[in-house]
Amino acid sequence: MDLYLKGKTAVVTGASQGMGRAIAKELAMEGVKVLATARKEDLLNSLKEEIAAAGGVAPLTFVQDFVAADGPQKIAAAALSGLGQVDILINNAGRSRPLEIIGAEEEWAAAMTLDFDRHRQLTQQLLPHFIARKQGAILNISSTYELREVNASAVAKASIVVWSKQLSMQLGQHGIRINCLQPGLIDTDNIRPFFPGNERREFAGREIALGDFGEPQDIANMAVFLVSPRAQYITGAVAVVDGGMRRYPF
Ligand SMILES: NC(=O)c1ccc[n+]([C@@H]2O[C@H](COP(=O)([O-])OP(=O)(O)OC[C@H]3O[C@@H](n4cnc5c(N)ncnc54)[C@H](OP(=O)(O)O)[C@@H]3O)[C@@H](O)[C@H]2O)c1
């Protein structure tokens, strides 16, 4: 199926590894010029080589700490000058942050900054551009909400879902769509340390209908569809890609 993405441009945060890397590569393979941003320059360079070897559109890379106060502004400026115009924004950077029952105040603040505020701010940097062009597709990678322990990142991601839903109502009239993609457990560096030894197999056997963690490619497959013109009637939605881990149907 042609996703009609050829010739479009995209910004992907957290593109050095895991799901962001898979999404950046899949977009490039669909003919999208990507600005891939993260801190680890060596991984961004290897992504560029990997995409070239696979025959995708060569991405631009931009090394930036997203947590820096001017991170969103710098990423938006680099995208607009490097790509000329931006059609797609993938808000993906983040990290799981399990806490004790109370948790340090700094950890809460750090999670809200990385996993909510910076994504909101980057989106806000690009919204005037999207509105002026009367088009844009925004995808926020959120989180699972059925954890049995406190995780500050998942709380921040829940904020993204609410904000995104609110925004969708006001952006529709400008031709802009905004959605969330809720992963279950995906095999990346972000979560691997939390399931050592046999724990992954035991957890997946007990909690995941399809019996194992997902792969970053599973997320990339849904992500490219959601930001493509094929998804033109989808906004304000949360798409779940979790192998059936989520317990509640609605
Ligand atoms: N894996 C899962 O099961 C799972 C489940 C629910 C939600 N998520 C969410 O999905 C997203 C992707 O996670 P992942 O599992 O793919 O994790 P990952 O493999 O650890 O990748 C995280 C990405 O975020 C970037 N990042 C983190 N802190 C950053 C900072 N300060 N500045 C710039 N970039 C930063 C990292 O780049 P650098 O280190 O190079 O900067 C990296 O590219 C995250 O938002 C995560 O919370 C993941």
Side-chain angles (χ1 to χ4, degrees):
M1 178 167 75
D2 186 351
L3 293 174
Y4 306 129
L5 279 167
K6 204 170 178 349
K8 292 196 178 291
T9 57
V11 176
V12 182
T13 67
S16 58
Q17 61 186 54
M19 299 187 222
R21 186 183 180 101
I23 294 168
K25 183 176 176 190
E26 199 55 40
L27 285 170
M29 298 310 294
E30 288 292 328
V32 177
K33 181 95 179 165
V34 173
L35 180 117
T37 181
R39 291 166 302 182
K40 297 194 189 87
E41 189 169 11
D42 53 335
L43 290 182
L44 290 175
N45 288 338
S46 73
L47 170 66
K48 209 190 258 188
E49 287 161 17
E50 195 180 314
I51 289 172
V57 174
L60 303 176
T61 57
F62 187 65
V63 179
Q64 175 64 46
D65 182 355
F66 197 37
V67 165
D70 58 358
Q73 192 185 336
K74 284 188 168 165
I75 292 168
L80 291 171
S81 69
L83 300 171
Q85 59 194 34
V86 178
D87 299 307
I88 295 162
L89 169 62
I90 310 269
N91 287 318
N92 164 77
R95 85 166 169 85
S96 185
R97 212 177 290 259
L99 298 180
E100 296 302 322
I101 290 173
I102 294 174
E105 200 54 36
E106 304 77 56
E107 289 292 300
W108 279 106
M112 290 309 289
T113 302
L114 172 61
D115 290 293
F116 175 59
D117 285 326
R118 293 297 181 260
H119 295 295
R120 175 181 58 75
Q121 290 159 349
L122 177 56
T123 306
Q124 289 169 344
Q125 285 284 327
L126 288 171
L127 274 178
H129 174 73
F130 288 158
I131 290 169
R133 295 184 63 230
K134 295 191 184 309
Q135 65 173 78
I138 303 161
L139 183 65
N140 306 306
I141 306 302
S142 63
S143 185
T144 175
Y145 305 115
E146 295 177 17
L147 300 175
R148 295 292 186 266
E149 59 179 16
V150 174
N151 188 312
S153 167
V155 175
K157 300 289 195 176
S159 305
I160 287 196
V161 172
V162 175
W163 164 74
S164 178
K165 183 68 183 168
Q166 293 169 345
L167 207 51
S168 67
M169 213 49 208
Q170 288 168 292
L171 292 182
Q173 64 187 308
H174 298 289
I176 302 164
R177 298 184 300 106
I178 180 164
N179 290 297
C180 295
L181 196 170
Q182 179 185 324
L185 284 169
I186 308 299
D187 184 29
T188 69
D189 288 358
N190 187 24
I191 60 146
R192 226 170 270 136
F194 302 121
F195 296 90
N198 274 339
E199 284 188 33
R200 168 175 170 170
R201 197 148 24 108
E202 285 166 11
F203 179 91
R206 199 175 60 239
E207 301 284 346
I208 303 179
L210 294 181
D212 200 359
F213 289 8
E215 295 296 325
Q217 186 63 43
D218 295 316
I219 299 301
N221 294 341
M222 177 63 99
V224 293
F225 167 71
L226 286 173
V227 297
S228 80
R230 289 280 188 186
Q232 64 178 9
Y233 197 57
I234 302 177
T235 196
V238 179
V240 180
V241 178
D242 70 352
M245 187 174 86
R246 191 166 176 268
R247 291 187 180 213
Y248 301 99
F250 306 109

